[in-house]
Amino acid sequence: MLKEKLLLVDGFNLLSRGYFATAYNKSEEDLTKTSDGIYTNALRVFFQKLFNLIDQHDISHLAIAWDVKREETSRRVKYDFYKASRNALPEPLIQQYETLTRVLEAIGITQLVVPPYEADDVIGTLSTKWSNDTDNHCLIYSNDKDLLQLLDKQTTQIIAQKRQETLYTIDHFQTEYGIDSSQWIDVKALLGDASDNIPGCPGVGAKSALPLIQQYLNVEQLFEQLDGLDPKFNRYKKKLTDGKESVFISKELATIERDISLFDTFDLNELKLEVEHHMVEEAMKGLELRIKYKGKQVG
């Protein structure tokens, strides 16, 4: 009997990457649509990738995690600058999100939206629960490196880069960075993240953030030992002193929630993948897409 395997997909990460990859240098009029005018350029990428992942990795359990609206997240409510610089989404992308969520529901694929949390928090809670409650493997599909903090012996992240995908394990992470995955939060606290408006510590960049955490283990110990800071880091002492408040706010923002109370009594078998072939066939026909599913063309 095959061991069970959970796949957690950062839904908007996959959908938006599919959209921008196929919309590059095109006007909205040039994007693929159905004969009824429903945009499908990102849907094609999403469904083909999702079905490929299910087949390639013998997935038994699956959930697509979606964000709540940006202004409704717990982080944004507390810190109004968080993700404030993000641009408005293109209308064809919004339309395809709405189409996608309807179709996924129709074919029986579990989708999770848990206000006021972000998709990362849902993924963090479910991957942790899976690791704690089973001895089986969990795969996270996302290019978001914030999720590296979730890696453990059972949890691997699938990262797409330059037309190939890497199954990035905890061993890969520890070899590359020389720290544990939980310490990634502390590196991010110092580095910040411009795409999310997380400030980090001004003046502390990639060349210094990782070595500081390798030596001091976390930002709490770093600041406790700031007076006796290793001389090789002296040039950062004033920057760290001035940026202390910013660092701790950044750590709070970068920390993925792993214990959403809603899932305390959640039965992981609710994520069991039970999709009937004829439902997929019907859905893809409706979208006028030809997609490969379980080795056969559907649509």
Side-chain angles (χ1 to χ4, degrees):
M1 182 179 172
L2 284 173
K3 290 194 81 171
E4 292 180 333
K5 194 180 291 181
L6 171 64
L7 173 64
L8 298 172
V9 178
D10 180 344
F12 207 75
N13 181 275
L14 175 53
L15 182 67
S16 60
R17 281 195 292 120
Y19 177 81
F20 289 109
T22 53
Y24 184 70
N25 273 348
K26 290 182 182 176
S27 67
E28 291 184 6
E29 292 72 32
D30 292 331
L31 301 178
T32 55
K33 306 180 191 72
T34 66
S35 51
D36 294 334
I38 303 298
Y39 289 102
T40 59
N41 61 305
L43 296 178
R44 178 187 298 279
V45 176
F46 190 100
F47 281 114
Q48 191 60 81
K49 174 49 62 181
L50 182 64
F51 295 153
N52 286 349
L53 289 168
I54 291 168
D55 290 348
Q56 288 168 9
H57 301 289
D58 296 315
I59 298 304
S60 63
H61 293 65
L62 170 66
I64 314 290
W66 297 107
D67 293 315
V68 292
K69 289 181 179 176
R70 198 177 304 160
E71 60 274 14
E72 295 172 5
T73 68
S74 54
R75 293 174 182 85
R76 181 68 178 272
V77 168
K78 189 169 182 181
Y79 300 107
D80 61 3
F81 60 83
Y82 177 68
K83 293 191 176 180
S85 61
R86 294 274 180 103
N87 295 326
L89 299 173
E91 188 56 40
L93 175 54
I94 295 170
Q95 186 199 89
Q96 287 179 87
Y97 163 75
E98 292 167 350
T99 304
L100 176 60
T101 53
R102 285 197 301 272
V103 172
L104 288 170
E105 184 175 3
I107 64 178
I109 288 177
T110 301
Q111 302 173 84
L112 295 168
V113 183
V114 186
Y117 299 100
E118 295 176 59
D120 287 3
D121 301 312
V122 175
I123 290 170
T125 297
L126 286 175
S127 64
T128 300
K129 187 175 179 66
W130 186 263
S131 288
N132 290 340
D133 294 0
T134 81
D135 60 358
N136 297 322
H137 209 63
C138 171
L139 296 175
I140 296 171
Y141 189 81
S142 176
N143 267 29
D144 185 350
K145 290 198 170 181
D146 292 351
L147 292 160
L148 293 176
Q149 65 189 265
L150 303 176
L151 298 178
D152 60 30
K153 289 295 182 189
Q154 290 168 242
T155 306
T156 294
Q157 185 170 346
I158 305 174
I159 301 175
Q161 289 174 317
K162 295 177 182 175
R163 295 183 176 271
Q164 63 177 30
E165 290 180 348
T166 301
L167 285 165
Y168 197 82
T169 66
I170 185 65
D171 292 335
H172 289 128
F173 179 87
Q174 289 170 339
T175 299
E176 183 171 354
Y177 295 105
I179 56 173
D180 190 60
S181 56
S182 61
Q183 294 170 282
W184 187 240
I185 303 163
D186 296 276
V187 175
K188 295 281 290 186
L190 293 172
L191 271 183
D193 187 335
S195 67
D196 289 341
N197 267 30
I198 297 177
C201 185
V204 175
K207 289 183 180 176
S208 49
L210 180 59
L212 280 164
I213 298 307
Q214 286 171 334
Q215 184 155 335
Y216 292 98
L217 305 182
N218 55 52
V219 293
E220 289 79 7
Q221 290 193 52
L222 170 61
F223 283 101
E224 279 174 17
Q225 299 178 54
L226 204 54
D227 289 342
L229 192 68
D230 189 315
K232 70 185 177 189
F233 297 120
N234 267 350
R235 59 186 290 215
Y236 301 107
K237 195 167 185 177
K238 185 175 189 311
K239 292 168 182 172
L240 288 163
T241 302
D242 293 345
K244 182 176 180 179
E245 183 182 3
S246 176
V247 168
F248 282 100
I249 289 172
S250 298
K251 181 165 182 175
E252 183 183 350
L253 289 170
T255 301
I256 293 173
E257 175 66 58
R258 304 178 73 157
D259 193 23
I260 298 173
S261 59
L262 180 72
F263 293 103
D264 286 350
T265 57
F266 183 77
D267 183 355
L268 290 166
N269 279 321
E270 289 189 33
L271 304 181
K272 198 158 184 63
L273 187 59
E274 294 174 336
V275 175
E276 294 188 25
H277 200 281
H278 73 92
M279 298 288 284
V280 177
E281 172 80 37
E282 194 176 310
M284 294 307 108
K285 271 186 182 168
L287 293 171
E288 298 171 18
L289 294 176
R290 295 284 289 166
I291 301 286
K292 207 167 188 182
Y293 177 62
K294 295 196 178 295
K296 296 178 182 176
Q297 286 289 128
V298 294

